Amino acid sequence: MQEQLERLSKENENIRFLLELMTSKYKILEEQLSKEKRVEQMGLFTENGSAHEYSYKRARTEVPVTKTSQIFVRTDLQDTGLLVKDGFQWRKYGQKVTKDNPSPRAYFRCSMAPGCPVKKKVQRSVEDESVLVATYEGEHNHGGGPGAFGECSASPDSSIKGGSMPNFIRPVTANNPFRPTMTLDLTLSGSNQESRRPSQSFMQDPNYNKIEDYVASLTKDPNFTVALAAAVARSITDRPA
DNA sequence: CGCTTTTGACCCGCGC
DNA sequence: GCGCGGGTCAAAAGCG
């Protein structure tokens, strides 16, 4: 018990470090983004007569930015499917074997399409084959169907007992074959005018305390370490420095 | 029979 | 211009 306790507290320390790393990375990115916004605005105001042309050209050449996020879902290794239960109904429209990963990548469109533009890609993680990586593009313009996360409740024997569980992170229930897992929303917010939000510190986010409490409870779950490590690795490697 | 999944073909952007 | 690789299409197969 003592040994296990020591191991766990060491693990907690590591996780705290990773979280701090993520937080600082987030702050750096936020600063960089606001700097870019300032530069962009200055460009628009100083170019006098050509300002309209400038913005027009930018708008035309700019790739339409869609909101993307990733979640990591731990599954049974025997489970060969690429299904991530997220409460929405999806229609599979393709599957591909990619170069960097031996497991195939499945492509899904929201079943409400073309009314709903959301797409997702699901592929097993290279680092841990039991972890499914689901990448979402866009935002649903409708509610979730039956079996949505919001309808789940904490399972009594789960090692994760959140108490006040944030809506965006839910444990797995008897209806859901997946084991408890860590879900991280690594949203890449767009840089176009419509998606701009007022600059807000991560620490000032109204959900921050809830997230912190919940993450603290998650550290009791050994599965959490793997999922977090994968998420942090991605957050570092997938973003511009 | 209608809807969903599978899978090979096709398209398109990117790097060389 | 060409090849490569990721993403999408669409016909065929599967399934309830």
Side-chain angles (χ1 to χ4, degrees), chain A residues 44-185:
Chain A
L44 279 172
F45 286 117
T46 54
E47 288 203 6
N48 291 333
S50 60
H52 285 294
E53 194 189 353
Y54 172 77
S55 57
Y56 173 72
K57 275 180 183 171
R58 271 195 69 85
R60 274 181 62 107
T61 53
E62 223 166 44
V63 180
V65 179
T66 51
K67 221 174 171 186
T68 67
S69 61
Q70 277 189 332
I71 67 166
F72 298 83
V73 179
R74 180 168 285 277
T75 63
D76 213 320
L77 261 175
Q78 275 89 42
D79 183 9
T80 52
L82 287 168
L83 281 174
V84 175
K85 292 197 176 182
D86 50 20
F88 290 96
Q89 280 201 305
W90 301 93
R91 178 175 295 181
K92 190 176 178 179
Y93 66 90
Q95 184 165 310
K96 266 268 172 182
V97 176
T98 55
K99 203 189 167 190
D100 57 329
N101 194 332
S103 70
R105 176 184 295 168
Y107 300 89
F108 297 90
R109 246 191 286 267
C110 180
S111 62
M112 297 291 190
C116 179
V118 183
K119 284 185 279 189
K120 77 167 174 180
K121 293 178 275 191
V122 181
Q123 191 171 30
R124 293 199 174 276
S125 166
V126 194
E127 294 91 8
D128 185 350
E129 279 187 35
S130 64
V131 174
L132 284 178
V133 182
T135 308
Y136 293 82
E137 286 175 36
E139 282 178 284
H140 292 281
N141 50 21
H142 56 91
F149 281 165
E151 293 178 16
C152 301
S153 57
S155 97
D157 59 348
S158 168
S159 58
I160 301 173
K161 287 172 188 166
S164 58
M165 187 85 56
N167 284 332
F168 46 87
I169 309 170
R170 290 276 170 183
V172 174
T173 64
N175 296 332
N176 189 342
F178 301 118
R179 301 194 56 197
T181 183
M182 170 61 182
T183 301
L184 276 185
D185 185 355

Side-chain angles (χ1 to χ4, degrees), chain A residues 28-59:
Chain A
I28 290 165
L29 281 169
E30 200 176 53
E31 272 171 30
Q32 208 174 335
L33 186 67
S34 57
K35 263 186 204 168
E36 276 176 22
K37 278 181 190 170
R38 277 200 297 272
V39 168
E40 204 175 284
Q41 278 170 356
M42 277 167 69
L44 279 172
F45 286 117
T46 54
E47 288 203 6
N48 291 333
S50 60
H52 285 294
E53 194 189 353
Y54 172 77
S55 57
Y56 173 72
K57 275 180 183 171
R58 271 195 69 85

Side-chain angles (χ1 to χ4, degrees), chain A residues 204-217:
Chain A
Q204 284 165 355
D205 190 296
N207 279 323
Y208 180 74
N209 285 336
K210 274 191 267 177
I211 297 168
E212 202 178 51
D213 288 347
Y214 186 66
V215 167
S217 73

